[in-house]
Amino acid sequence: MTAAVRFPVSTTLLRRLALASIIANVGIVVTGGAVRLTASGLGCPTWPRCTDESYTATAEMGVHGVIEFGNRLLTFAVGIIALAVLLAVLLHRPRRRGLVPLAVAVLLGIPAQAVIGGITVLTNLNPWVVGLHFLASMAVIAVAYALWRRVTDPDGPAVPVVPAPLRALARLTTGVSVVVLVVGTWVTGSGPHAGDHGAARNGLDPETISQVHADAVFLLLGLSVALVFAFRAVGAAGPARAAVVLVAVELGQGVIGFVQYVTNLPALLVGAHMLGSCLVLLAALAVQWSTHERHPVSTGPAISPASEPALLPS
């Protein structure tokens, strides 16, 4: 008897684990932001050890060491969840198509994030590397979301529910959301929250790059509103709802971004803005996913020509 038979994994459990993976990866982004916003980025001044002599924070390192080391420990928790998802995918029957590569990608993304995080420490919080660390987390969140949706959807072929031009518009909107995230890391790298009082900035003018970021946000908002009306025009209720959610998340994120800008970037609002970035990405992916539907694969017996009822003569 195989392990998969002895220890079956239900679809409900697999779905919950996949959702937990998304939440955990969003959580690591927020806690990573807390490290930077409390100037604890070099609380553990080396990597992979916390100090040259210890893998853990010491009392002499104070609260900054506790915060940085705590964030490193959370990486292990996220990795354990990702491993649990992979094991659940392998034990689930019938095996869902495409889930194994996605689960492996999420799992491998965790140590990759850890390595990039280590490079940020070894480069004294170089702002470009810090930005890359954030974007790597966004990539893992995107893959984790795809995994969750594949578990949630029936295991059938993806069928478009909106015309090709609207699917292209949805892809463009998702692409612009990624641009907004990338430019947002440039804004962060030019601002005051360096993660440590001695860390360098990227040299970009904060006011200029903030305006570029705002322009990209306005473009994203315009495309998202256009999606709402376009989906409604073709009677695509599901995609229209997803686009409305995206617009709502963008508006909330925009309000946070504007308030933090005019109030000189208070740490609490910057942290909320980082959480909002994750939600914008997830909402954009939801719109992209809504442009297709999957239907269960028919498992009924095929009717052979010989078994078909004969046509009555007219």
Side-chain angles (χ1 to χ4, degrees):
M1 183 179 294
T2 65
V5 175
R6 292 198 304 268
F7 305 104
V9 172
S10 67
T11 301
T12 299
L13 176 58
L14 180 56
R15 184 183 301 118
R16 289 174 178 174
L17 286 172
L19 180 59
S21 181
I22 297 174
I23 296 172
N25 278 284
V26 171
I28 202 71
V29 170
V30 175
T31 57
V35 170
R36 180 169 57 83
L37 296 170
T38 57
S40 302
L42 295 178
C44 288
T46 188
W47 186 87
R49 295 174 182 264
C50 194
T51 69
D52 291 333
E53 294 79 24
S54 173
Y55 281 99
T56 64
T58 62
E60 294 78 9
M61 301 172 70
V63 65
H64 294 309
V66 172
I67 294 174
E68 164 64 5
F69 181 68
N71 187 64
R72 293 187 182 187
L73 286 180
L74 284 176
T75 301
F76 288 99
V78 176
I80 290 172
I81 294 174
L83 178 60
V85 172
L86 176 59
L87 292 177
V89 166
L90 293 174
L91 294 175
H92 183 262
R93 291 294 184 273
R95 179 75 58 80
R96 302 293 299 275
R97 291 183 301 172
L99 290 187
V100 172
L102 290 172
V104 170
V106 172
L107 180 60
L108 294 180
I110 308 304
Q113 287 173 285
V115 170
I116 298 174
I119 295 174
T120 66
V121 173
L122 298 177
T123 57
N124 294 317
L125 305 182
N126 181 289
W128 300 106
V129 182
V130 172
L132 178 61
H133 190 41
F134 172 79
L135 295 175
S137 296
M138 293 294 104
V140 174
I141 289 173
V143 178
Y145 178 81
L147 172 62
W148 176 69
R149 289 302 300 260
R150 284 292 293 114
V151 174
T152 303
D153 291 345
D155 197 12
V159 179
V161 296
V162 296
L166 296 190
R167 299 199 300 273
L169 181 59
R171 289 192 294 270
L172 175 61
T173 303
T174 303
V176 173
S177 71
V178 173
V179 172
V180 168
L181 292 176
V182 173
V183 178
T185 64
W186 302 348
V187 175
T188 300
S190 69
H193 296 293
D196 183 79
H197 298 298
R201 302 285 71 207
N202 60 21
L204 300 175
D205 177 63
E207 185 173 350
T208 300
I209 197 62
S210 294
Q211 184 60 57
V212 173
H213 181 59
D215 292 341
V217 169
F218 284 129
L219 174 60
L220 176 60
L221 181 59
L223 291 172
S224 302
V225 171
L227 280 175
V228 172
F229 287 100
F231 287 152
R232 287 181 174 175
V234 298
R241 285 194 297 270
V244 168
V245 172
L246 175 59
V247 171
V249 172
E250 289 167 353
L251 290 175
Q253 177 75 332
V255 169
I256 295 173
F258 178 77
V259 173
Q260 73 170 5
Y261 180 76
V262 299
T263 55
N264 295 318
L265 303 176
L268 184 61
L269 286 181
V270 175
H273 200 57
M274 293 185 67
L275 173 60
S277 297
C278 298
L279 298 181
V280 168
L281 175 63
L282 291 171
L285 292 173
V287 171
Q288 183 67 49
W289 209 273
S290 72
T291 60
H292 293 78
E293 287 183 354
R294 291 181 182 271
H295 302 282
V297 177
S298 176
T299 57
I303 300 177
S304 64
S307 63
E308 291 180 355
L311 296 176
L312 296 176
S314 58

